[in-house]
Structure formats: structure tokens, C-alpha cells
Amino acid sequence: MPSRPDTPGGHGVDVVFLTALGLEHDAILAHLVDARPRVDSDGTHYTLGGLPGRGPAPRTTVALALVGEGNLAAAALAGRAIREFRPRALLLVGVAGGLTSDAVLGDVVVATRIHAYQGGRQETGRFRPRPRGWPISHGLEQLARAVARDGGWCDAPAPRVHFKPIVSGDVVLDSREAPVARLIARHYSDATAIDMESAGVAEAAHRSDFHQVITIRGVSDAADGGKRRADTAGWQHRAAANAAGFAVALARAVGGTPRVADGHRDTPATAPAPIGPAPPTEQVPSSGRGAPDERPERVRRIPQLLSAAAVAAVAVLLYLGVSAVVGGGDRPDEPVDAGTGTWAPARSGSGVRLEDWRTLDLETGETADYDIDGVGNLPGMDLALSHDASRLIALGPARVAVLDIPGEAAVDRCLASEEYVDGLHTNLRELLSQGRDVCVRTQEENLAMLTVQRPPSAASARVEFRYTLWKAR
């Protein structure tokens, strides 16, 4: 078994801080004293240190780690940190995008519930979410609310602290009109912020039977298309500093509370310790946490092995949940009923239909692909949309139809004509900028349809369109 860190008693730390970005890590590090590095047996780097207590309160011992972006990495390293340090609480700290008008830039959001929004089943014409959620520990929430009420965690004027749910997935959201944004608004309307790590940490903690976990986020942008401007203006650093300030105050409160037995694990009581700026004087480190574990080595390793298997399962489950929205999930490999549609493969009941949503910036050429059902993964297709959405390419003879008025008449024109052009390359940007639908039919009876959902306007050069493929069997 790996040796324990050199904290008092050799049995771990009071609090583990996890961060995804370097600036989030540095915002926590600025509060630590006696910082020193530690590398565990898996090669994960931690910074061990302390947070001085106030008055007679003991110093809070902490471990700080940079896990990187995304739920999969967060899940794996959260499970590892729980086993390595057996903390009294684990705090995920950093920045997030705001989803509501009442959470302004710089505000702090304490997640009362984590929603994983990407799991679900994609069917023809609709997406059925399969929500997963994790609530915050009641005792830890009460302690956080006490920290917020005290107000001593930040110099005036202090940012607002919101106790609200957040959503978590592996998408950097920077639009209120994107399909992901519409899905969140429709099914998770109570969420105040969005991040990319909380679901992974929550699931890893759940599978480790560890419940003292909390997410603390500073709002660094409004997820409305202005992220780059907000980042350039320095809001990531300010939001990270605010989140770190609140998290450090909460960590001090956790370290200063008496322990309450909770099965095999100690947890903080709900009564908070005094909160506020720490005095400059060093406090004597707290005493150890119980007698050494006298069980045989093979017995002590059982929980560790079980937890490792649980973390591996977390990664697989989260990957499957993510793929339901960003490129996978339940794909319809059975014949698709097209209803009133007129596409040739549907007439024989032998076609497979896949689609995703895309945006194209007509000024910069920047594209975004929401990959609702993995169009790019359809094998054997003789049609391809270029990466920059500038050309629709046929690998063999094909016929194109363009329509000024949205509807299936463009498809009917594709089906009616036999005037194929070998190796068709269609320039799309001019057509999309005019709000026209485009249909291409190949000699193999495969079809591609680009349907404009939101044309460009005087205020925005972005065009949003649905890209749909039918593959004949």
C-alpha cells in the first residue's frame, strides 16, 4: 500500500481540493502555507499544505490536485484522491458558465445538486433524456450556508453566493440557442451554471461510498456567445479567485468542526467553526486521527481494489452517457419509419437516418458540430460534408437540388432527376447564407439534406443548420 502523506498522524488530510484549470489551482495554492509536493504511486501530483486556523482553532490540512478538464479525468482522480487521503470533505473548485440572469459574472455558485445532462436515447426526430443526479450532503450544505451568512470569507463588496443546482457534461457551452442549450433549458431549468467535471466527481464519490463532496464555482461567463470577451476581460481569474476564497473558508470550517461518526468514515458536524481572516501566527498542527490500522495487508487492500474497479466502471458509464449526445448512444440500426417523408430509402423501409446540428460563422469560417447522432460515424456513405462546412462532396455520381423555400420539395427534386454529375462538389456557404435548403442524391440512392434552422442576420453572421443523412441498405 502506498505510504500516507506526512500529515499529523499519517492518516490523510482534512480537505482535498480538486481543480480542472491551472488558474483555478493557483487560486487555491495562494491560500496555502507550508506547501510541499507529493506524487502518489500512480504518478498523480498533489500539493500538501495547511490553512491556518483562527484563534484556538487547529490548522486545516489539505491536499490540492490539478485533474484536467472533463468528467472522465475528474472521476478517475477523485476516486484516487479519496482512497489516498481519506479526507473529511472533497471540494471541486473552479469556474463555470452561468445559465441564469441572476447569477452575474463573479458570483459564486454552490451546487446543491449535480445534473448529468448528456445521457439519453436518440430516436428519429427526438432525443429522450435519461437524467442522472447527485444531491449535496445535508451537513456540508448547512456548513456552506453558514459560511455564506457569516460573510467574512471575502472583502466587501462580496459577490453573491447562490445555492442552486448545476449541470455537468463534456461540452464547452457558449450559446443560448445551441441544441445543447435548448436541451438544458427544457429538461434542467433549475440549473444556474454549467461545468465539465462535477458529474464525474460526484459519481466517483458515490461509488466510493463517500458523500462529503461539494462543487463550488465562480461564474466566469454567461454561456451566451461572449465567452472570449469575458475571458479577455479577466473574468476567469476573478471568478476563480472568488470560488477559491469561499472554498478555503469552507475548508477551514470543515477542519474546525468536531468529528461525527459516519460508519467507517468521519464527517464534519453541521455547527461551523469561527469563520474569517486567519491571523498571521502559525498554529500547532492538529493531533492524529486514531490508532494505526492493524489489519493484515491483504485485508487492507480489499477496499482499494474494489474502489479501483468502481472508478473504471464510472469511466465506462460516463463515456456511454456522453456518447448519447456527442456522437453515439442508441443508434437506430432497424428500419426507420419516415412517416410522411418522401425519401427513397424510407419508401422501401430499408434506410438508416442519422443527423446532427451545426453552426457556421460566415465571416470567420468557424464551425461547431453538435453531433447529436454521430453522422460522421456512418460507414460506407458516399457523401461527405467538409470539416469547414464549405463543400458537400459526393464520392461518385450525384444530383443536387436547391430550394428557396424550406420543405421536402428539394428532396422530391433530387428523386425526380436523373441528371447526375460525377464527383459532385457543391459550394455551400453562399447557399446557406441565403437560407436555402440543399439536397444531394447519389447513384447509390443515398441522400444528404442540409436544412437551415436559423439563417444569418444583421446582428450575427452565424447560420445554424441541420445535417441529415439517409443511407440505403
Side-chain angles (χ1 to χ4, degrees), residues 196-387:
M196 297 174 61
E197 293 80 31
S198 290
V201 171
E203 179 68 2
H206 168 71
R207 289 175 180 267
S208 299
D209 194 26
F210 182 83
H211 307 293
Q212 303 305 311
V213 180
I214 191 169
T215 291
I216 299 168
R217 295 295 192 184
V219 178
S220 61
D221 64 84
D224 60 355
K227 177 173 172 56
R228 288 182 179 175
R229 292 190 299 272
D231 292 351
T232 302
W235 278 109
Q236 271 199 331
H237 289 274
R238 276 179 274 183
N242 290 346
F246 187 87
V248 164
L250 178 58
R252 283 199 180 100
V254 169
T257 55
R259 292 183 174 277
V260 178
D262 178 24
H264 67 282
R265 194 169 276 112
D266 292 331
T267 60
T270 57
I275 303 166
T281 57
E282 278 279 328
Q283 299 297 320
V284 178
S286 58
S287 59
R289 297 182 182 154
D293 193 341
E294 300 293 343
R295 295 176 297 171
E297 174 72 14
R298 63 180 182 276
V299 175
R300 296 200 304 268
R301 284 182 59 83
I302 290 175
Q304 183 181 9
L305 294 174
L306 291 175
S307 295
V311 169
V314 170
V316 173
L317 289 172
L318 284 173
Y319 174 79
L320 293 176
V322 167
S323 65
V325 169
V326 295
D330 294 313
R331 293 196 175 95
D333 54 4
E334 70 279 358
V336 178
D337 180 8
T340 59
T342 57
W343 288 4
R347 289 189 180 128
S348 62
S350 61
V352 177
R353 176 176 176 173
L354 298 175
E355 69 179 25
D356 65 6
W357 291 70
R358 304 192 180 199
T359 62
L360 168 64
D361 192 314
L362 297 170
E363 292 181 350
T364 66
E366 178 184 356
T367 62
D369 182 357
Y370 300 108
D371 242 356
I372 296 299
D373 200 21
V375 168
N377 297 324
L378 185 59
M381 192 69 181
D382 55 353
L383 283 167
L385 182 66
S386 65
H387 179 70

Side-chain angles (χ1 to χ4, degrees), residues 13 42 80 160-161 175 184 190 194 207 244 254 346 349 362 422:
V13 299
D42 289 340
R80 177 65 187 172
R160 293 180 61 194
V161 181
S175 170
I184 291 170
D190 60 344
I194 180 171
R207 289 175 180 267
V254 169
L362 297 170
D422 191 49

Side-chain angles (χ1 to χ4, degrees), residues 409-456:
V411 180
D412 293 334
R413 288 175 57 186
C414 277
L415 299 176
S417 175
E418 295 298 333
E419 298 176 6
Y420 289 101
V421 177
D422 191 49
L424 176 73
H425 291 246
T426 301
N427 191 321
L428 297 175
R429 291 195 175 180
E430 182 177 355
L431 299 174
L432 291 174
S433 68
Q434 297 170 5
R436 296 182 176 183
D437 291 349
V438 180
C439 171
V440 173
R441 171 197 177 195
T442 73
Q443 202 166 33
E444 300 298 323
E445 295 300 323
N446 298 321
L447 294 104
M449 184 74 177
L450 280 77
T451 309
V452 175
Q453 303 297 306
R454 185 181 298 274

Side-chain angles (χ1 to χ4, degrees), residues 6-22:
D6 53 346
T7 50
H11 274 267
V13 299
D14 291 313
V15 172
V16 168
F17 291 110
L18 297 183
T19 60
L21 303 177

